[in-house]
Each structure stands twice: as C-alpha cells, then as structure tokens.
C-alpha cells in the first residue's frame, strides 16, 4: 500500500456499511492448478504464466480445456448472500494473463470466442447479482497483461526481468484497456466498483484515463486504490495485511482463505473459521472492509474447504451481524489482549470473545453500562461497572457456566454514552 497524503472517502454508505465481501479469482490459470508440464510453481497460482515463463502460444491452448460445467452463478451468489453473509462480490473480469472472462468485442481472447463453452461468465454473475440484490464489482488488470505485447510484466512472484520501457504501453491503454473498460461498464448493468491492480509504472495521466472512463459511464462506480497515483476512491491495503491501528477514511483488505488466489491443487494451508472471524472483526473494528477470496477449480466448482469455512463464518454472521455490518471504527483500546476484539455503533459496544472465559474484565472502560447480553440470543448477563485496586475503571461481565468453555461469541454492552470510552493507561 503506497503512502497517501489524503483521507479517501467514498461518500457511499453501502461501502462503509458492507464490511464483508467476496473476491473470486478464476481464469485459465485455474486449469493448471499450480502445475505446468510436471513443474509446480513456487508462487501464487494465478501468476503461473509469468513465474514459469509459459510462452503466449502455449498458454493460449488452455482455452481448449475451458469447460466450466460445474459453475452455477445463481447458486454461488445466493450462497454468498444468504449463507455466507457477504454484501458485495468482486470478480476477475481480466487478470494479468490477459484472458477476458466475458464476451469482449475488443479481444477474441475471451470465454465466448476462444472456448468451446461460449459462456459469458461476467454476464452470468451480473444477472445473478441483480436477481439477489447483491452489489457486483469487477477486477480488471489495467497495467499487467502478459498476453498483449505492450502490456507490462512484473518480475514479482518469480517472473523474469522484462524491459517494460521498450513497450508502447500507451497503445495498450488506448486500444485494449479503455475499450474493455467501456464494454464492462456498458454491457453488464450497474457495477459497484472496478478493482484495479498493480499500477506499476503507469503515469498519473494514464491512471486518470481509466478513472475518467469509469466516471463517465458510471459516476457512482468506485475505483480501488490500486489504480495508482493516489486516484482511488478508497485505500486498498496490502494482500492479507491489516493496519495495526484504526484508520480514517474508507479502506479494504483483500485476503485469501489459504495462501493463493487462483485455485491450486497443492495449497492446503486453510485458515480456520475462527481465524477468519477474528480477522473480520479486527478489520471491522479498525474501520475497514474484508474482501475474502475463493478460487474455483477449472470446472467452476468451489473447493469443499472454502465452502466449509465460509459456512461457519456465515453462521457467526447470522447470529452476530449487528456487531459487524454498519459499524464504525472503535477507539483504540490501550491494552493488547488476545481473548477479545471490540466493534461499536452508537450506544453499543460489542465484545467479540475468542477464548474460553468465566468473566470478561474490560479494564480502563469508563462507560456507564445500561445492559449486557449475548448478541446471538439476547440472554441477559450479570455485569458491574467498578474500579480496580489501582483506581482504574473496569467493566466486569459474568459469563454463564454453560459458556465457560465456549469461544467465538459476542457480548453486547448497551452504553449510556454514545461511544466507548477507553481511558489511557496511567502510571
């Protein structure tokens, strides 16, 4: 994440309230699943064309194998909304490999013209999102394009050194990027955001070209921070990183369920549902959104591990969504604690518990608490606003015996004051 000298504000309540979105990385790289001609990539699977230096003419042959007979956009969008609790979806319309997952008139290298299935994946997802009233965004790689001779190529993730300066990058922007953005913003209804990526050496003028066409066609369409040159509508944090402290403005963390974005048959480093919930709560507490990725297989099916993890997280969100959606950043708590994280809204402090506890002791909280209960079922809890032996304010909440061994639940404290009051540490 580049340093910025401004605080981005989308001025769009849906983005501020959403907190939780679904990223979908799917392309020709999903066919290779992390391996090419018996060689396993050591890097993230969607970069395999670059990291294993696969020639364009060889990589193009993957279109013959693209037949996603297990992909069901309607079922996926419905699941993301009703079972997983996501509020928006972002799909890779074109990743760095240069292959369009929609019917592009600009380039025949797309799912309709170059494959036997002749399916417009973006259209299928756009229709499903409209049906289920789900916000729909599109990822578009605006600088890297390993298929186009004038697209930038990065040496990151094992890629080879490339002379980008000898390319006519402006021609690529003018003759592929801008026309394809026009297609995506004209043919698929309302697009909530364009998720640009890896700006590399794009000039401010070239980034502005992209911004201008987006805002011309869909003024309310947000632009991710990775458009570059500080022209995004919100900040895009580094992949799988989160700010240590609350941030002002609007921002988003793109993240994976395992260690890669596109499907890899080798990557079994799955996070647990409890880990995902804790990350989600931390991001919401610090004022951001969590854009969590799945990488479908080549046939369009979603790995069972992803379904299981997101299902468990969805259960938590159904019971405790009030403590995530529509919340704003919480004040910084003065102590480092592992067993809880805080989110808040007006007159409410939510304590997300992640370790077995017999009681919650929230030191240096000087609010007047009016009520305490389990958010999932409204069960009332005994509490007291007290003072420690050192004279610091403390709120103590008793946890019922049947929950002493439980973890991953949420306690709501209703406050007299509008916001939580966390006192600084005194000597």
């Amino acid at each position: 994440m580049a340093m910025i000298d401004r605080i981005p504000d989308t001025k769009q309540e849906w983005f501020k309230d959403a907190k939780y979105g679904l990223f979908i990385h799917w392309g020709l790289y999903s066919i290779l699943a992390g391996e090419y001609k018996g060689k396993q990539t050591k890097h993230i699977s969607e970069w395999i064309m670059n990291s294993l230096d696969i020639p364009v003419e060889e990589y193009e042959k993957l279109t013959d194998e693209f037949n996603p007979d297990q992909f069901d956009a309607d079922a996926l969008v419905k699941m993301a909304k009703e079972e997983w609790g996501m509020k928006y979806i972002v799909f890779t319309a074109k990743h760095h490999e240069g292959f369009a997952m929609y019917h592009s008139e600009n380039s025949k290298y797309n799912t309709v013209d170059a494959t036997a299935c002749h399916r417009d994946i973006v259209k299928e997802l756009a229709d499903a999102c409209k049906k289920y009233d789900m916000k729909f965004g599109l990822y578009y790689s605006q600088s890297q394009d390993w298929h186009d001779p004038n697209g930038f190529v990065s040496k990151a993730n094992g890629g080879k050194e490339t002379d980008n300066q000898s390319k006519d990058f402006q021609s690529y922007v003018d003759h592929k990027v801008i026309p394809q953005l026009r297609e995506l913003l004209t043919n698929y209804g309302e697009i909530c955001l364009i998720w640009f990526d890896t700006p590399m050496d794009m000039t401010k003028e070239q980034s502005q070209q992209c911004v201008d066409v987006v805002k011309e066609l869909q003024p309310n369409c947000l632009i991710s921070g990775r458009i570059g040159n500080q022209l995004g509508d919100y900040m895009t944090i580094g992949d799988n990183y989160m700010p240590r402290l609350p941030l002002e403005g609007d921002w988003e963390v793109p993240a994976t369920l395992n260690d890669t974005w596109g499907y890899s048959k080798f990557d079994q480093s799955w996070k647990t549902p409890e880990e995902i919930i804790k990350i989600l709560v931390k991001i919401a507490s610090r004022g951001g959104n969590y854009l969590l990725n799945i990488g479908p297989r080549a046939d369009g099916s979603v790995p069972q591990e992803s379904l299981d993890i997101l299902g468990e997280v969805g259960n938590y969100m159904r019971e405790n969504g009030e403590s995530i959606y529509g919340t704003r950043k919480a004040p910084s708590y003065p102590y480092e604690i592992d067993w809880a994280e805080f989110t808040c809204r007006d007159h409410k402090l939510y304590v997300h518990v992640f370790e077995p506890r017999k009681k919650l002791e929230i030191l240096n909280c000087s609010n007047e608490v009016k009520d305490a209960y389990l958010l999932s079922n409204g069960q009332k809890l005994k509490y007291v606003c007290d003072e420690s032996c050192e004279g610091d304010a403390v709120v103590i909440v008793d946890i019922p015996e049947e929950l002493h061994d439980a973890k991953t639940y949420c306690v709501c404290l209703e406050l007299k004051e509008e916001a939580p009051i966390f006192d600084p540490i005194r000597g």
Side-chain angles (χ1 to χ4, degrees):
M1 180 184 66
M3 296 298 291
I4 63 169
D5 55 15
R6 65 187 180 94
I7 297 174
D9 183 353
T10 63
K11 297 182 173 62
Q12 295 194 27
E13 290 303 312
W14 80 262
F15 188 84
K16 297 174 186 293
D17 292 346
K19 301 306 174 190
Y20 192 32
L22 177 66
F23 218 167
I24 306 173
H25 274 68
W26 191 31
L28 296 180
Y29 45 81
S30 305
I31 297 169
L32 296 177
E35 182 180 30
Y36 176 67
K37 292 187 175 180
K39 186 174 182 180
Q40 179 182 343
T41 179
K42 298 178 181 178
H43 304 281
I44 47 182
S45 63
E46 70 281 1
W47 280 63
I48 192 168
M49 180 183 178
N50 189 24
S51 60
L52 294 187
D53 197 18
I54 304 174
V56 168
E57 60 272 16
E58 287 295 315
Y59 198 82
E60 285 178 341
K61 295 176 183 177
L62 294 173
T63 58
D64 296 336
E65 302 178 45
F66 188 79
N67 182 29
D69 55 0
Q70 298 301 305
F71 180 71
D72 185 338
D74 190 281
L76 180 58
V77 172
K78 183 179 182 182
M79 187 181 301
K81 180 168 185 174
E82 298 179 2
E83 297 183 30
W84 298 346
M86 271 84 170
K87 296 297 185 181
Y88 61 111
I89 289 175
V90 179
F91 176 69
T92 49
K94 188 203 79 165
H95 205 271
H96 309 324
E97 64 181 3
F99 183 68
M101 298 291 286
Y102 71 99
H103 193 195
S104 174
E105 295 294 333
N106 172 267
S107 169
K108 298 301 182 184
Y109 193 47
N110 68 71
T111 54
V112 174
D113 295 318
T115 75
C117 74
H118 306 301
R119 291 174 64 176
D120 187 327
I121 306 300
V122 168
K123 185 178 189 305
E124 292 177 23
L125 283 166
D127 290 347
C129 285
K130 183 177 181 180
K131 176 179 176 179
Y132 293 105
D133 193 26
M134 174 73 87
K135 293 284 187 180
F136 184 47
L138 294 171
Y139 172 110
Y140 187 86
S141 178
Q142 82 278 21
S143 61
Q144 291 200 76
D145 190 314
W146 307 326
H147 184 262
D148 191 291
N150 288 314
F152 282 160
V153 177
S154 172
K155 64 178 180 179
N157 294 308
K160 66 178 182 178
E161 193 77 39
T162 303
D163 181 14
N164 288 312
Q165 299 306 314
S166 65
K167 298 181 178 185
D168 189 350
F169 182 72
Q170 186 62 56
S171 176
Y172 160 71
V173 172
D174 292 339
H175 296 107
K176 186 170 186 180
V177 174
I178 299 302
Q180 287 197 331
L181 288 174
R182 287 190 175 277
E183 292 172 343
L184 292 169
L185 291 160
T186 302
N187 299 333
Y188 298 98
E190 182 180 347
I191 304 300
C192 69
L193 62 86
I194 296 289
W195 214 99
F196 292 109
D197 198 15
T198 65
M200 297 185 63
D201 296 328
M202 288 184 73
T203 65
K204 187 169 185 178
E205 291 73 22
Q206 289 164 341
S207 294
Q208 190 67 54
Q209 266 189 276
C210 297
V211 170
D212 288 346
V213 73
V214 172
K215 298 301 183 181
E216 171 200 338
L217 295 171
Q218 295 203 32
N220 292 325
C221 181
L222 298 177
I223 294 171
S224 75
R226 292 191 190 172
I227 183 62
N229 296 294
Q230 298 189 30
L231 294 175
D233 291 317
Y234 62 90
M235 283 189 289
T236 307
I237 308 299
D239 295 355
N240 289 301
Y241 278 78
M242 75 175 80
R244 186 171 182 83
L245 299 173
L247 281 181
E248 298 293 338
D250 294 333
W251 53 275
E252 176 188 70
V253 175
T256 53
L257 282 169
N258 48 5
D259 291 335
T260 192
W261 299 85
Y263 174 68
S264 170
K265 60 187 176 184
F266 303 105
D267 187 358
Q268 299 300 315
S269 301
W270 301 99
K271 298 176 180 68
T272 67
E274 292 78 17
E275 288 174 318
I276 295 296
I277 292 167
K278 192 169 187 178
I279 294 169
L280 172 57
V281 171
K282 282 186 176 183
I283 292 171
S285 176
R286 296 168 196 185
N289 287 0
Y290 190 23
L291 185 60
L292 187 57
N293 182 73
I294 58 171
R297 299 184 185 91
D299 64 5
S301 62
V302 179
Q304 189 62 46
E305 293 87 349
S306 297
L307 298 174
D308 293 342
I309 295 166
L310 294 178
E312 288 297 317
V313 178
N315 290 337
Y316 187 83
M317 295 300 283
R318 273 192 297 278
E319 293 184 344
N320 302 287
E322 176 192 312
S323 66
I324 302 291
Y325 307 125
T327 58
R328 296 296 182 259
K329 68 181 181 68
S332 294
Y333 189 62
Y335 292 99
E336 180 72 20
I337 57 174
D338 294 327
W339 56 267
E341 290 286 343
F342 304 106
T343 57
C344 67
R345 65 174 70 243
D346 289 355
H347 299 287
K348 289 185 178 181
L349 174 64
Y350 303 102
V351 186
H352 299 260
V353 182
F354 299 113
E355 295 179 5
R357 310 286 293 186
K358 294 182 179 180
K359 61 176 60 180
L360 312 181
E361 296 184 6
I362 308 171
L363 192 60
N364 285 44
C365 179
S366 58
N367 288 96
E368 181 178 336
V369 177
K370 298 167 62 178
D371 201 2
Y373 49 89
L374 290 176
L375 190 57
S376 61
N377 59 14
Q379 180 181 347
K380 298 288 186 179
L381 303 176
K382 294 180 180 179
Y383 68 92
V384 62
C385 300
D386 208 343
E387 191 174 276
S388 72
C389 294
E390 293 74 32
D392 296 312
V394 62
V395 175
I396 302 173
V397 182
D398 289 336
I399 300 301
E401 185 174 354
E402 63 269 21
L403 289 177
H404 283 182
D405 294 326
K407 54 184 178 180
T408 320
Y409 59 91
C410 183
V411 171
C412 178
L413 303 180
E414 294 194 356
L415 312 175
K416 178 182 178 182
E417 300 82 7
E418 183 173 342
I421 302 172
F422 294 146
D423 300 328
I425 299 173
R426 299 185 300 178

